[in-house]
Amino acid sequence: GMTTLGSPGPSWPSLDRFSLSENQIQHVLRRAEEADLLTPDPIDFGAPLITDVGTTSVTLNAAGLNVIHRAYALTITDAEAGLTSAQVRARRSLLGFLESLPQDGGDAGPYPPTALAVYVGEYSGDPQGQKPLVWPLGDDLATVGTPTSAGAGYRCALVIGRDLSTLVTSLAGATSRTPWVARAGDDTRYSVVVRPVLPGTPGCTER
């Protein structure tokens, strides 16, 4: 969804949803086939010589196939970045497919997550003027969740049900740099990173 650019950024991403008509679905499938994405075989997108860039994941479920394609730093399509000509073609093909996807449809509106994966770790860095917020749930921030390899020293907890509504309310007053404390007046501060759990994606279980 739309997000106001600024620093620090929002505490969690804004997501929108809409449904596709049958004609739109068939258009997506045709474009996926033209881009050679409807294959169970892995596609080699290469790994550009660049760091700290996101990975694009595309999941397609059609014709009895459920395939997932992942490309690191997808917008990098320069052979000088350590990519072969075949990898550049594969990247441009995937980019073309994504650019052809419908941008609107029926039943449009904000996506209400049914679960949040919450990553908690020690706070470091500059809070950029952000005042600490008190963790609204009953868990102890020092021990909540299970260890994860997604980030050194971070633990992940899955938040659902009434706790989800409570946390979403608190997140409305937070940013990506907001320090969190277990109780009012505590000196120990924690970093909280929030990821909405989408259908078909894992919660705190990493693939």
Side-chain angles (χ1 to χ4, degrees), residues 42-60:
I43 297 176
D44 182 9
F45 295 103
L49 302 177
I50 187 173
T51 60
D52 298 327
V53 181
T55 296
T56 300
S57 297
V58 175
T59 301
L60 297 168

Side-chain angles (χ1 to χ4, degrees), residues 156-197:
C156 182
L158 191 66
V159 179
I160 59 175
R162 281 187 287 186
D163 284 348
L164 174 65
S165 299
T166 300
L167 180 57
V168 167
T169 300
S170 292
L171 289 171
T175 73
S176 60
R177 293 300 303 158
T178 295
W180 293 80
V181 294
R183 289 167 294 276
D186 281 2
D187 293 328
T188 303
R189 301 181 177 189
Y190 297 89
S191 173
V192 172
V193 180
V194 178
R195 175 176 62 82
V197 178

Side-chain angles (χ1 to χ4, degrees), residues 120-147:
V120 180
E122 293 184 5
Y123 193 89
S124 63
D126 180 7
Q128 300 181 26
Q130 303 295 304
K131 295 182 179 179
L133 288 182
V134 177
W135 181 247
L137 308 181
D139 308 293
D140 184 350
L141 283 177
T143 59
V144 64
T146 56

Side-chain angles (χ1 to χ4, degrees), residues 29 32-33 36-43 58-69:
L29 293 177
E33 187 172 13
D36 295 324
L37 297 175
L38 293 180
T39 171
D41 300 322
I43 297 176
V58 175
T59 301
L60 297 168
N61 193 333
L65 292 175
N66 184 14
V67 296
I68 300 176
H69 300 296

Side-chain angles (χ1 to χ4, degrees), residues 70-93:
R70 295 187 176 92
Y72 175 70
L74 178 59
T75 57
I76 304 298
T77 57
D78 189 341
E80 294 181 359
L83 301 171
T84 66
S85 58
Q87 291 167 346
V88 169
R89 286 195 300 271
R91 285 170 166 269
R92 289 176 176 169
S93 182

